[in-house]
Amino acid sequence: MTTGDARRGEETVSLVAAIRDSIVRGDFVPNQRLVEADLSAQFSASRASVRAALLELTNEGLVERVQNRGARVRAVSLDEAVEICEVRMVVEGLCAAKAAERITAKEIKELKEIGKSMRKAVSNGDVLGYSQLNQQLHRRVREIGEQQTATQVLDRLRAQSVRHQFRLAMHPGRPSTSLPEHLAIIDAICQHDAEAAERAARTHLRSVIAALREVDQASTPVLAR
Amino acid sequence: MTTGDARRGEETVSLVAAIRDSIVRGDFVPNQRLVEADLSAQFSASRASVRAALLELTNEGLVERVQNRGARVRAVSLDEAVEICEVRMVVEGLCAAKAAERITAKEIKELKEIGKSMRKAVSNGDVLGYSQLNQQLHRRVREIGEQQTATQVLDRLRAQSVRHQFRLAMHPGRPSTSLPEHLAIIDAICQHDAEAAERAARTHLRSVIAALREVDQASTPVLAR
DNA sequence: CGCACCGATATTGTCGACAATTTTGTCTCT
DNA sequence: AGAGACAAAATTGTCGACAATATCGGTGCG
């Protein structure tokens, strides 16, 4: 069966989603070549559509293309993942600060609700649920901050580092480290304290960066030779 | 004659540059429709190439596309320009901080040289030269900071707001305002003071945002009705 | 035995044509 | 005359085929 089907119009857009999912979920491993003809057959679409989709994914940073040499799944090194997180650090800091300025009473309740759910998930050992709440929190903060541009930037960066992100979420003990950081962000935003919110967001991402390095060292002990 | 010619291979890449230039230099005004067939004739390229180029420019944020309704030049509103500058503020801050950590003695000399040239350009009233030095400074700082990801983000954002940026550079009195800010960034980086460098970069961009608002109000007095 | 040259194969880049969709203009009916 | 429906034009989305380019394997020469 072909991985993803879609409604009639705009086949390319669904192809982009299908290929993106295949990359994110690991069906296509890093550095794997993506031959247009093969994808065309696999997803039963024309080569032009595949080509357009590859173009799009290249600009999202998930695929690398070299002139006349084709496309392959981009492998994000640890150093690159750190760089990405550093940019995320400052941009999420901006969003948190803006959110602190603009948040409404209703949204405060919502954010605190998320915080409560996160506490519960961690104490229950619900790693998957916590990960989803994590994403929800970050998304809501961006929405509250009303930063369209920042949101676009962050979406792109998140997609690029999703593999590292996932590995991190599965690391034992990680949730109990990040929970208080998340709660600090929520508190600062709910108190309309922009500076504190930015600091908290940065502290959190700094911790993520440190954890990234740690997890990588643990899983790549010396050098797989 | 066709606007841009190019070497044999990879016609699309040169088309992207040609259309981008046309947008940036104002040959294509904001909200102007970009019909594939017309561009195809104008640049004497196939429609497929034009299509690929428009895809690329869409992902750069210079063109907006709606499904089955074609592409048009994106009009960046003042609010959007401010948002873009806010993101730039924090990311350039990051780059400045990293540059302060990593700068070498040789690069310090180079940066100070740029500072000297800027002073000269301002005192000579050389607006264009100052603008170029400005760009050169920002670029060098990013390179010294060795932030690939941040550089990509900033390149994209700069391209989107180039029109506002240009109008700002032409504003009388603007250079003498921004010069000391630039010099402060240079000083902080050259003293390896990451925190001060980030603060200086932010202060500068904050000033740019304020100027953006001011210039816009001056040129759109009430509301063209 | 190694290296450079050359041809065969695989893959991408480009093109023109056709199908699907949206927009525009016109005509009728109330 | 105005609103709605229908047809025609314009434009985009998709497809298959051809040309250009890179990669791989074999052959001859030093």
Side-chain angles (χ1 to χ4, degrees), chain B residues 5-143:
Chain B
D5 68 312
R7 38 214 159 293
R8 220 80 258 300
E10 206 56 9
E11 180 176 341
T12 294
V13 70
S14 59
L15 242 189
V16 172
I19 299 179
R20 188 195 292 121
D21 285 353
S22 293
I23 294 177
V24 167
R25 77 177 56 187
D27 294 345
F28 298 148
V29 300
N31 282 322
Q32 178 174 343
R33 280 196 66 184
L34 298 174
V35 177
E36 295 178 0
D38 294 354
L39 295 177
S40 175
Q42 185 171 345
F43 295 96
S44 56
S46 91
R47 235 195 74 202
S49 304
V50 171
R51 200 178 171 70
L54 288 178
L55 241 308
E56 169 87 24
L57 291 171
T58 301
N59 289 323
E60 281 185 27
L62 285 173
V63 168
E64 281 177 332
R65 293 189 48 195
V66 189
Q67 116 105 264
N68 286 327
R69 280 203 222 176
R72 54 181 61 220
V73 179
R74 176 177 169 199
V76 177
S77 70
L78 174 64
D79 285 345
E80 286 171 320
V82 168
E83 261 198 22
I84 290 170
C85 269
E86 286 173 339
V87 176
R88 279 185 56 200
M89 177 177 74
V90 294
V91 180
E92 300 234 26
L94 171 70
C95 288
K98 288 288 173 183
E101 291 174 7
R102 297 178 185 175
I103 194 167
T104 65
K106 191 175 159 193
E107 290 164 340
I108 288 179
K109 279 187 88 168
E110 190 187 342
L111 240 51
K112 289 192 171 167
E113 199 59 43
I114 293 179
K116 203 185 283 182
S117 300
M118 287 181 112
R119 250 188 284 245
K120 207 183 299 176
V122 170
S123 67
N124 290 350
D126 178 7
V127 176
L128 191 63
Y130 180 69
S131 173
Q132 284 172 349
L133 284 167
N134 182 358
Q135 288 181 31
Q136 189 184 342
L137 172 62
H138 284 260
R139 178 157 38 82
R140 258 342 245 133
V141 167
R142 289 178 335 213
E143 287 170 2

Side-chain angles (χ1 to χ4, degrees), chain A:
Chain A
M1 86 222 69
T2 63
T3 298
D5 68 313
R7 39 210 158 293
R8 220 83 254 299
E10 205 55 9
E11 181 175 341
T12 294
V13 70
S14 59
L15 242 188
V16 172
I19 299 180
R20 188 195 290 120
D21 285 354
S22 292
I23 294 176
V24 167
R25 78 176 54 187
D27 293 346
F28 297 148
V29 300
N31 281 324
Q32 179 174 342
R33 281 197 65 184
L34 298 173
V35 177
E36 295 179 2
D38 294 353
L39 296 177
S40 175
Q42 187 171 345
F43 294 97
S44 56
S46 92
R47 234 195 74 200
S49 303
V50 171
R51 198 177 173 70
L54 252 30
L55 242 307
E56 168 87 24
L57 290 171
T58 301
N59 289 325
E60 282 185 27
L62 285 173
V63 168
E64 280 178 334
R65 295 188 48 193
V66 188
Q67 114 106 265
N68 287 326
R69 280 202 222 175
R72 55 182 60 221
V73 179
R74 176 178 170 199
V76 177
S77 70
L78 174 64
D79 284 345
E80 287 172 320
V82 169
E83 260 197 22
I84 289 170
C85 269
E86 285 173 339
V87 176
R88 280 187 55 201
M89 177 177 73
V90 294
V91 179
E92 300 234 28
L94 171 69
C95 288
K98 288 287 173 183
E101 290 174 7
R102 297 181 184 174
I103 194 166
T104 66
K106 192 174 160 195
E107 290 164 340
I108 287 179
K109 279 187 88 168
E110 190 186 343
L111 240 51
K112 288 191 171 167
E113 199 59 45
I114 293 178
K116 204 184 283 181
S117 300
M118 288 181 111
R119 251 188 284 247
K120 207 183 298 174
V122 169
S123 67
N124 290 350
D126 178 7
V127 176
L128 191 63
Y130 180 67
S131 174
Q132 285 171 348
L133 284 167
N134 182 358
Q135 288 181 31
Q136 189 184 342
L137 172 63
H138 284 261
R139 179 157 39 82
R140 257 343 244 134
V141 168
R142 290 177 336 211
E143 286 170 1
I144 292 170
E146 290 175 23
Q147 300 285 319
Q148 273 304 119
T149 303
T151 297
Q152 285 174 352
V153 169
L154 289 174
D155 280 344
R156 181 189 312 267
L157 295 179
R158 170 173 290 276
Q160 289 175 20
S161 59
V162 67
R163 182 171 296 269
H164 291 270
Q165 211 70 27
F166 179 76
R167 198 163 58 164
L168 191 55
M170 289 302 137
H171 197 60
R174 178 65 200 154
S176 51
T177 303
S178 70
L179 177 62
E181 297 168 2
H182 282 137
L183 295 179
I185 297 175
I186 293 176
D187 279 350
I189 292 177
C190 291
Q191 285 172 23
H192 299 282
D193 188 341
E195 275 189 42
E198 180 168 6
R199 271 200 306 274
R202 285 197 176 210
T203 300
H204 172 50
L205 265 296
R206 233 189 307 273
S207 148
V208 169
I209 292 173
L212 268 183
R213 285 221 161 85
E214 198 179 308
V215 169
D216 183 85
Q217 251 182 357
S219 66
T220 316
V222 194
L223 250 173
R225 87 169 51 165

